[in-house]
Amino acid sequence: MNEQPSTARVALKWGVIFGLVLMAITLVMYLTDQTTNPLFSGLTLGAMVAFLILSMREFRSLNGGYMAYGEGLGLGALTSAIGGILSSAFTTFYNVFIDPTVQQRAMEKAREKLEEQGNMSDEAIDQAMEWSEKLQSPGFTFIAGVFGTLIVGFLLSLIVAAFIRRNKANPFD
């Protein structure tokens, strides 16, 4: 009787690597003071797609060339969750202990951008900044980072698993 490979083991391997890559991207973004640069969002999204593909392909090859859609979806969500936990922990640690001014600088850039647009009153800008500051607590940013990565990873897994899956001809084998 063949033992089926563990999706958790594959997800742990690729999730840890994904988390380390996200940490590196975040570190470069912070060190170059490019927190509002959309290039880093695209880079993060590209890394997520790449690691979802890598994890699903490895699982499929370990499983005799087969992977059901649901297995791919679960594997992708778990890989994303592990990467999100590691990345969010690093980001929180960096923002609290290494450079607590990162969030303040990002808030200043956001205020400048709102003022440049000119479609909001000073009171509305102040209120928006006040709300943003409330959402900058370390606990909230950690939780939002984990769930944000998990949700995006799940949505991308819906697509990636559809292409990577390969069902067995006889499901009773």
Side-chain angles (χ1 to χ4, degrees), residues 8-164:
R9 178 165 288 174
V10 174
L12 182 62
K13 171 188 170 184
W14 289 107
V16 167
I17 297 170
F18 175 51
L20 293 172
V21 168
L22 289 181
M23 287 181 208
I25 292 170
T26 302
L27 185 61
V28 169
M29 180 181 68
Y30 284 160
L31 292 176
T32 59
D33 200 24
Q34 298 290 315
T35 55
T36 58
N37 189 339
L39 172 71
F40 288 99
S41 296
L43 196 57
T44 300
L45 198 59
M48 183 177 283
V49 170
F51 282 102
L52 290 174
I53 291 170
L54 289 169
S55 66
M56 289 182 200
R57 288 187 64 176
E58 179 175 326
F59 178 79
R60 187 179 70 186
S61 70
L62 291 173
N63 197 29
Y66 299 104
M67 181 186 78
Y69 182 75
E71 290 172 325
L73 192 57
L75 176 64
L78 192 54
T79 301
S80 300
I82 292 166
I85 289 169
L86 293 174
S87 173
S88 295
F90 172 76
T91 301
T92 302
F93 180 81
Y94 189 92
N95 290 340
V96 171
F97 297 109
I98 297 174
D99 188 2
T101 65
V102 168
Q103 289 180 331
Q104 186 59 36
R105 290 193 314 264
M107 294 287 287
E108 289 169 5
K109 284 183 182 180
R111 176 181 279 285
E112 289 171 10
K113 199 170 195 176
L114 288 174
E115 289 172 350
E116 285 174 9
Q117 290 175 351
N119 57 358
M120 291 177 73
S121 67
D122 287 342
E123 296 84 26
I125 291 173
D126 289 339
Q127 188 175 20
M129 292 293 104
E130 189 177 308
W131 271 101
S132 294
E133 284 180 29
K134 289 178 183 177
L135 299 177
Q136 297 295 322
S137 73
F140 184 80
T141 56
F142 175 78
I143 291 170
V146 171
F147 281 111
T149 307
L150 177 60
I151 290 168
V152 172
F154 180 79
L155 293 174
L156 289 173
S157 294
L158 288 169
I159 299 165
V160 173
F163 288 101
I164 303 290

Side-chain angles (χ1 to χ4, degrees), residues 66 167-173:
Y66 299 104
N167 292 329
K168 294 181 180 180
N170 182 357
F172 300 107
D173 283 344

